[in-house]
Amino acid sequence: MIRFNVFRNIRWATAASLAIVTIALVGTNQRWVGGVAHAAGVVNFIATDDVGPWFQCVGAGCVPAGTESLAVVQPGTDVRITVGNESNTVHTFTSLLFPKGAQQMPFDQPSAFRNGSRSVTLTDPGLYVFVCKVHPFMLAATIVDDPATAGLDLGENVSLVNGVTVPTSSDLATRLLRAFWLITSPGNYQDHNPATNPALTWNINYPAGVPVRITGGAVVDLKATLEARYGANVPIPGPFNPAQTGVGEVWVDLQYEKTSHKSKPGTAIAVDATNWKVTKRVALPEINMNNPHNMWTDRDQKVIYQTQWFDTKFTVFDRTTGKLLENIDVGESPAHVMTRVDTDQVHVSINGEDNIVELSPGGKHIERRLATQYVGDNPAQPHAHWMSHDGHVMVTPNSNTNDSTRLDIPSGDIVEKTPTGFLPIASGMMPDASKYYVSNYVDSTITCISIGAPACQSAGGAVATKTIPVLLGGSGLANYDPIGGSGFSTSGALPIQTPVSPNGKYVVTANTLSATITIIDTATDTLVKVLPCSAGCHGVNFGAKKGGGYFAYVSSKFANDLIVLDPDPNDNGDPSDAQIVGRIILATGDNNDVQSDDQVTAHAGMGGQGVLPIPVVYNGWVQKLPNQWKKLLTSKQKNPIP
Ligand SMILES: [Cu+2]
């Protein structure tokens, strides 16, 4: 008889006050049994808008192994996802990882859905991880265990849905396992605040005493293996202010921060770039604001345009007072928002559907919908679009169709569709609209796509499109060995936001799995610099540095800090001397200096996603700023590409 002690954090808390419930599961044959596991038939997950168990396992087969998103089942079990009342929007249930060659794999749907279930029968033993392609931190894992073998079967080799296949003993396989325990359990998120984590260490709690069967039939202890590879109680950096100040303020969506007067998570906060203090928090309890994801502002910089990614609402509030101005139904999973510089109209990507919605200035009403795919094609499900300096060109990364759409905004016509890598998620455009960049989440690549004449740089000259590796296949940088693990910290894995600097010199990308910031030089379209980021590195946007140049502000989902990156300290256009110059804590506690409409109850400072520095300093937008903002900028900042 073997006794497993499985630690389960029932609420997010600081390391000093960690609330732990010990659940003893009694089992035989070295695997989770004892009434909760090894269900034959069906194992159920439900989609939620909550933090951590986005795909929450319910009922027989679920194992409370420090996560609520894991099941252990017998071969032949159906895995079922149900999207119902626990979520306000659509989702997909897509195989991200599965045993090499497994029957029924890959598994996906033609489009995201709500109010219903989808299921798939898992026959081959091994590890399966499912993801939502709309919200790709939603994870559900199922281990199909052969009762005849020792240890829980992870399988010989696992395949990512894009075809990359590695042994379960490999560094990449255990990196992904580690990420599963990080992402699905908020108690494992990174606390960079010395007030609540005085030791400034970080630990991921894996279940103890769980033998797993990996490549070659080896049976190893899960926790011991992960801790031997990646450490336990590892030191993490604390806060420090940049020596230089910025201009204006920096808004950050804390998508996971919970407050007392609403059931859905998420706040938007403002950091004053002249003193690096958090000054405002907007939770909007009167509308139960649900997972605020990304922001933009109007020409006058007076309002904040706010998407609710797990809902159907687009919201506008006053930037100074935080007062709600508009809350309008736009469609499923509104993700990113930008304005059109020539009209000041507002464009919101409808990530769960098939279009970009165009609203009147101020976001008061819907004026038009721009289709992101041709009639009859599967919905593109566009995530983070970008728009040009003249308001005429829009590009979308289409998370459902592995391509990118270029639109002519005045006519609304699709001009071009270009294949990308797997699960394209974000885009950034050159200030002269000569080319744009799309981050491919699953492939860990960036696709450069020319707009018009070939503008993507390669050794042999300019080309129409180019795939830039940030993880695999590079030399020096992006030269990760997925088996042995070398080169991970000098690569980017699972890239997300990827804006081009306002002067067009470089592209800064936040990579969520590797927790790194990668920088591409647009003169060569090659990776030239990699810097460390925080857990769940996600959002990037550029703001003005006082006296000239730019800061890139970088947010992280599974951490409570905002990184201030100086991408080009000597402002010579070469980002190879980029450095992290500040780290701001976004958890404010009961700080009375913060103007707020609700009290934080959990996940303080966590869930950093959209970043919006005010004033907007991108080419096209910067020229239209009111004088009160323009006068704070240098002539070079006011005309970023002379
Ligand atoms: Cu989703």
Side-chain angles (χ1 to χ4, degrees):
M1 219 131 103
I2 291 176
R3 174 176 286 264
F4 301 119
N5 290 320
V6 179
F7 294 94
R8 178 183 184 196
N9 302 328
I10 57 166
R11 55 178 283 270
W12 181 85
T14 63
S17 62
L18 203 60
I20 292 174
V21 173
T22 303
I23 299 167
L25 300 177
V26 179
T28 55
N29 289 338
Q30 301 195 345
R31 56 179 61 88
W32 281 299
V33 288
V36 295
H38 262 203
V42 180
V43 63
N44 284 292
F45 290 89
I46 55 172
T48 82
D49 299 343
D50 206 354
V51 181
W54 287 283
F55 284 142
Q56 186 174 32
C57 192
V58 290
C62 307
V63 287
T67 167
E68 295 175 58
S69 297
L70 176 65
V72 177
V73 301
Q74 294 173 357
T77 302
D78 286 355
V79 172
R80 177 189 296 154
I81 177 69
T82 300
V83 184
N85 292 335
E86 296 79 7
S87 179
N88 285 358
T89 192
V90 297
H91 304 282
T92 78
F93 198 57
T94 304
S95 56
L96 175 66
L97 186 82
F98 43 83
K100 181 189 173 187
Q103 297 171 63
Q104 309 291 333
M105 293 292 119
F107 177 72
D108 203 1
Q109 300 86 49
S111 59
F113 67 96
R114 66 190 291 170
N115 299 327
S117 296
R118 302 289 185 275
S119 62
V120 58
T121 305
L122 304 183
T123 307
D124 299 279
L127 172 67
Y128 298 73
V129 179
F130 295 87
V131 70
C132 170
K133 291 198 295 184
V134 181
H135 316 94
F137 49 69
M138 302 179 77
L139 299 175
T142 299
I143 297 170
V144 176
D145 187 42
D146 177 356
T149 59
L152 288 173
D153 289 292
L154 299 187
E156 279 291 309
N157 297 290
V158 284
S159 296
L160 277 167
V161 66
N162 65 349
V164 168
T165 298
V166 290
T168 52
S169 60
S170 67
D171 183 70
L172 181 57
T174 50
R175 289 261 176 210
L176 292 166
L177 268 181
R178 175 176 184 260
F180 174 78
W181 262 277
L182 165 65
I183 294 167
T184 62
S185 182
N188 290 332
Y189 294 175
Q190 249 179 12
D191 179 7
H192 291 262
N193 187 1
T196 48
N197 182 15
L200 281 177
T201 56
W202 174 46
N203 195 47
I204 297 178
N205 288 300
Y206 310 107
V210 177
V212 291
R213 181 182 167 91
I214 57 170
T215 310
V219 176
V220 300
D221 183 85
L222 176 72
K223 178 183 169 82
T225 301
L226 291 170
E227 290 188 347
R229 289 190 175 186
Y230 311 119
N233 295 306
V234 297
I236 54 172
F240 64 107
N241 284 348
Q244 289 175 275
T245 57
V247 174
E249 62 186 16
V250 185
W251 283 84
V252 183
D253 273 333
L254 299 179
Q255 199 177 312
Y256 304 157
E257 188 168 80
K258 289 186 153 187
T259 63
S260 57
H261 290 89
K262 58 177 191 159
S263 61
K264 300 295 186 184
T267 65
I269 63 161
V271 177
D272 186 335
T274 67
N275 60 21
W276 306 113
K277 289 192 161 74
V278 176
T279 56
K280 290 173 260 190
R281 179 191 305 110
V282 179
L284 297 179
E286 66 268 44
I287 58 163
N288 203 5
M289 183 164 68
N290 185 3
N291 281 275
H293 182 67
N294 204 260
M295 296 163 289
W296 202 258
T297 186
D298 64 324
R299 192 179 281 169
D300 289 340
Q301 322 284 288
K302 284 193 170 160
V303 303
I304 298 293
Y305 296 131
Q306 176 68 68
T307 61
Q308 299 188 47
W309 198 21
F310 282 62
D311 219 293
T312 58
K313 295 291 201 301
F314 173 69
T315 302
V316 187
F317 61 86
D318 184 283
R319 185 178 64 79
T320 307
T321 64
K323 185 174 167 288
L324 178 68
L325 299 173
E326 308 288 343
N327 193 39
I328 181 169
D329 218 311
V330 290
E332 298 291 354
S333 303
H336 278 239
V337 51
M338 288 183 84
T339 53
R340 182 174 162 182
V341 299
D342 52 346
T343 65
D344 213 26
Q345 287 167 297
V346 189
H347 292 75
V348 181
S349 65
I350 307 304
N351 198 180
E353 300 188 43
D354 55 3
N355 66 90
I356 304 285
V357 65
E358 182 177 80
L359 298 108
S360 60
K364 293 184 189 311
H365 53 91
I366 293 172
E367 299 196 323
R368 199 167 54 138
R369 287 186 188 270
L370 287 72
T372 46
Q373 62 290 308
Y374 297 114
V375 174
D377 286 353
N378 281 346
Q381 296 179 192
H383 186 75
H385 62 297
W386 202 273
M387 294 162 69
S388 66
H389 63 97
D390 58 1
H392 285 204
V393 182
M394 179 190 292
V395 295
T396 64
N398 303 329
S399 61
N400 195 46
T401 49
N402 298 336
D403 54 13
S404 172
T405 305
R406 174 155 60 94
L407 291 144
D408 175 67
I409 300 174
S411 68
D413 291 342
I414 295 174
V415 178
E416 195 164 308
K417 289 201 77 175
T418 307
T420 61
F422 206 95
L423 217 170
I425 191 163
S427 59
M429 192 185 291
M430 289 290 276
D432 62 356
S434 58
K435 57 184 172 182
Y436 69 102
Y437 298 84
V438 173
S439 59
N440 301 303
Y441 187 78
V442 174
D443 281 1
S444 297
T445 58
I446 308 289
T447 307
C448 174
I449 302 172
S450 304
I451 300 171
C456 300
Q457 301 302 316
S458 72
V463 292
T465 65
K466 177 184 178 180
T467 302
I468 304 166
V470 290
L471 182 66
L472 301 167
S475 55
L477 302 175
N479 198 24
Y480 170 56
D481 169 10
I483 311 297
S486 64
F488 194 69
S489 64
T490 50
S491 298
L494 304 189
I496 305 185
Q497 287 188 23
T498 191
V500 181
S501 62
N503 60 12
K505 299 294 186 186
Y506 41 85
V507 181
V508 175
T509 310
N511 299 274
T512 201
L513 178 66
S514 54
T516 53
I517 301 162
T518 50
I519 305 180
I520 290 165
D521 189 333
T522 60
T524 58
D525 285 329
T526 56
L527 186 62
V528 295
K529 185 80 174 178
V530 182
L531 294 142
C533 194
S534 295
C537 193
H538 184 105
V540 193
N541 233 327
F542 290 91
K545 189 165 66 176
K546 193 182 177 190
Y550 299 97
F551 285 136
Y553 297 101
V554 185
S555 67
S556 295
K557 291 186 290 287
F558 314 125
N560 57 1
D561 62 340
L562 176 73
I563 290 173
V564 184
L565 173 76
D566 190 334
D568 185 10
N570 60 6
D571 201 22
N572 70 345
D574 175 0
S576 58
D577 56 348
Q579 55 181 296
I580 290 165
V581 297
R583 183 181 307 275
I584 314 301
I585 298 299
L586 302 179
T588 51
D590 297 321
N591 184 341
N592 290 327
D593 297 338
V594 179
Q595 170 190 309
S596 179
D597 59 0
D598 210 355
Q599 295 77 47
V600 175
T601 53
H603 314 329
M606 299 288 181
Q609 296 184 48
V611 180
L612 176 69
I614 302 279
V616 173
V617 290
Y618 290 102
N619 187 41
W621 287 267
V622 69
Q623 292 90 344
K624 303 221 163 160
L625 288 172
N627 279 330
Q628 69 194 84
W629 287 110
K630 264 191 183 167
K631 71 183 185 192
L632 302 174
L633 304 175
T634 65
S635 59
K636 207 168 156 184
Q637 286 170 331
K638 285 183 281 191
N639 293 287
I641 51 163

